[in-house]
Amino acid sequence: MGFKSYVLRRILSGIPVFIGLSMLIFFLARVLPGDPARLALGPRASDEAVQSLRDQMGLNDPVVVQYLNYMAGLFQGDMGISLTTNRNVAADLVYFFPATFELITVGMTIAVLFGVPLGIIAGQNKDRFEDNAGRLFAFFGVSMPAFWVAILLQLLFAFYMGWLPATGRIATAPPRITGLMLVDSLIATDFAAFRSALAHLVLPAFTLALAPMADIARMTRSSFIEEFNKDYVHALETSGIPAKLIAYKYVLKSSFAATLTIIALDYGFLIGSAFLIEIVFAWPGMARYGVTAILENDINAIVGVTLVVGLVYIIANMVVDIMYGYFDPRVRYGGDE
Amino acid sequence: MSDPLLEISDLHVDFNTYDGRSKVINGVDLHVDEGETVAIVGESGCGKSVTAETIMSMLPQPPGEITGGELRYRGEELLGDPPAHKRVKAESMGMIFQDPMTSLSPVFTVGEMMRDVLTYNGKTEVGWLELGKSVLGRRGADEKAMRERSIELLDRLQIPDPEGVLDRYPVELSGGMRQRVLIAMALLGEPEFLIADEPTTALDVTVQDQLIELLREQIDREGLSMLYITHNLGVARRIADRIYVMYAGEIAEVGTRDEILDEPLHPYSRGLIDSIPKLTAFQREGIDGLLPDYTEPPQGCRFHPRCPAAMDGVCDGEKPPLYEPADGHQVACYLYDDQMNAQDALEVAQTEIEFEGGSLDHPEVSSSLGDETAAESADRTEMNEPTSGQTDGGNR
């Protein structure tokens, strides 16, 4: 079985998962306590007004019908009206999602770029100074609350040093195409805007990256150490392949599966939980939108945001599954003999 | 005789364990001459592999610790000079490992590994740029030549469809094929000196036999020297010129293949050979007991608690020196001394050493080891002799 059919199978297997997920989210949102129409209109609104809003939102239909209507709408880009912004949730998401996506992608990239080498260095120097320093950093990274780190970084780099802006996404936005400031400014060949977007991104992305960076470093370290003690490492060594090549080519490739798992999990986790970071940095992102929706019992927005978070999870895991196949032929060939 | 290619003198290796300090290698002397194949024979845990690891500088330190001795390769002392050791190892030594299932990287194709061996052999350092290129799978201009060289070598090791094997992952190959690939990898770097650490134990008997034959051919063809580590006396008989019998981290006896197998002098060697089941002889008892505890090894000769000929007040005193009753045939046992000639020594061995269940009184019984009928009966046992290879391609 080739790599292509492996990839195809992985992608197809995502579809039933998404359908199941959409059902779960949709029905859970319906059983949340509190009447969304009543909440939207306020306690003084008349019962007639509430009833007519419920009709308008379709809340009086049987749940199954509601779900089918919702799914039909979803395929046409209609995710229902948000009760707080009074716009279609789809439009809101198109506005808010790219901000969070950009933040998290850059954050995870930083986490991987620093976390993996940190893990390797620690793994190669097991129980020596480098390893202990890495361990200390990892403990700090996971245990320090992100918002606190965020405030410290803001104080240091924005207020005392004045190097970086404290809040917001960009000084003057380029014409909106993808919603990703870095990409848009490049498309508009506006390098001042690109620099500004990058400067705004550095602090929140780095703050966001700390915890996954620590995770990745720990995971890379332990799987690296485990892999380094395997027989084939000695065999390659005695065949005359230099140690550096063994470490960064052979051992890294086979020990990377564990790290990949962590990356996918953290990526999916961050997309829903960047909330505090978005608040502290006044980042107009989806996590903030989602939390507001929950607090307001804005039912369509809740479903919309959760669905997007779930979709990102599914895609992240799919990508990782495919990468497992790339990194380890045993996965492609259906396990060891 | 010219200077030996590899020479170990008075090697001591300790291991720090929770139970205390284990003196795992206690004064081992060993040499391998140019073009010679030497076997180290001994039971599991006697320090054979530790000796090999010391030579290849892959002893895990800690817990291992080399506390004394010298390792010379072409006269160059290596133990005190790690960079030189690394260089000599990269340039001149190769090793074949025990377990073909785990000794190849599971995530690269055979061809990729062989290409890296060919590209980087003998280099101890590699730059970051070069490394990046290699990770991305960039091929150099001499890619084609390397491929041809790999194919030729795989072909020589009788791997069917060598071209196809290059593009396959180790998981797609059988154990016998993988072991051939491992041998090919060890030979690719054109070493002068090979260490084989029980390379056939993990394979079934027919495949074992083919592999030993193949290895023998390659060694003869390239004029390599080899140190072959095994617990299998039958294998040692087939491949070795000289044999070291090792017991509990010490050399018990050294001699040519025929001396050790047909006229063993040390009680341990006799017991070892005696314990091989034979079709032509009665069931023997072998040697009672177990290897000693290395943290508190027996005083004097480490074998004396298990030895049927142990002499009170002699064997438990000082460690026995190596006596040399015949030229090149050395034995660490107080039964012999330097004044003895080979004939007397053999007589002593035959009269003094008596294991329960009968003594080894007919040397010709043990020499029937090479004999096919005897061999076939021994297949299923630990100290076995592989059958001669009439079965073809057992594991493809």
Side-chain angles (χ1 to χ4, degrees), chain A residues 14 16 40 43 52 72 80 84 86 93 118 121 146 167 178 187 212 214 234 254 282 303 331:
Chain A
S52 84
T84 43
N86 265 323
L93 287 177
L118 267 176
I121 292 167
T167 57
T178 58
I187 292 175
H234 293 307
S254 33
V303 173
V331 174

Side-chain angles (χ1 to χ4, degrees), chain A residues 149-164 203:
Chain A
V149 177
I151 292 168
L152 283 188
L153 289 177
Q154 276 181 333
L155 273 177
L156 186 62
F157 289 104
F159 292 100
Y160 295 142
M161 311 277 209
W163 291 348
L164 296 165
L203 287 186

Side-chain angles (χ1 to χ4, degrees), chain B residues 3-8 30-39 55 72 193-194 224-228 242 244:
Chain B
D3 268 352
L5 181 69
L6 178 102
E7 191 177 13
I8 292 177
L30 185 151
H31 69 268
V32 180
D33 289 324
E34 196 112 21
E36 186 188 37
T37 296
V38 168
I55 297 172
R72 280 184 301 277
F193 174 70
L194 264 186
L224 305 181
S225 318
M226 179 162 74
L227 183 64
Y228 195 100
R242 279 192 310 126
Y244 284 80

Side-chain angles (χ1 to χ4, degrees), chain B residues 13-15 17-26 247-248 250 290-305 316:
Chain B
V13 178
D14 287 4
F15 274 77
T17 64
Y18 287 115
D19 297 332
R21 237 177 139 71
S22 295
K23 294 183 180 300
V24 172
I25 301 288
N26 188 27
Y247 179 78
E250 290 169 356
L290 296 168
L291 275 171
D293 176 9
Y294 284 108
T295 51
E296 282 172 66
Q299 272 285 313
C301 170
R302 285 186 171 186
F303 186 61
H304 84 262
D316 52 5

Side-chain angles (χ1 to χ4, degrees), chain A residues 227 230-232 234-245 248-250 253-254 327-330 332-333 336-337, chain B residues 56 89 93 95 97 102-108 112-113 116-117 120-121 123-124 126 128 131 134 169 171 173 178 185:
Chain A
E227 204 62 31
K230 295 220 168 136
D231 291 347
Y232 73 85
H234 293 307
L236 290 171
E237 216 181 343
T238 56
S239 313
I241 297 181
K244 208 201 246 168
L245 194 75
Y248 286 90
K249 183 173 179 178
Y250 288 88
K253 190 174 176 186
S254 33
F327 279 108
D328 193 340
R330 285 170 297 187
R332 252 177 288 158
Y333 293 104
D336 211 336
E337 350 163 27
Chain B
M56 294 308 282
K89 181 179 138 185
M93 297 187 183
M95 181 157 178
F97 287 82
T102 58
S103 297
L104 288 167
S105 167
V107 299
F108 284 95
E112 179 84 17
M113 282 184 258
D116 276 346
V117 174
Y120 298 104
N121 187 263
K123 297 181 192 168
T124 44
V126 53
W128 286 104
L131 181 98
S134 175
Y169 290 95
V171 272
L173 304 174
R178 288 190 210 184
M185 299 253 299

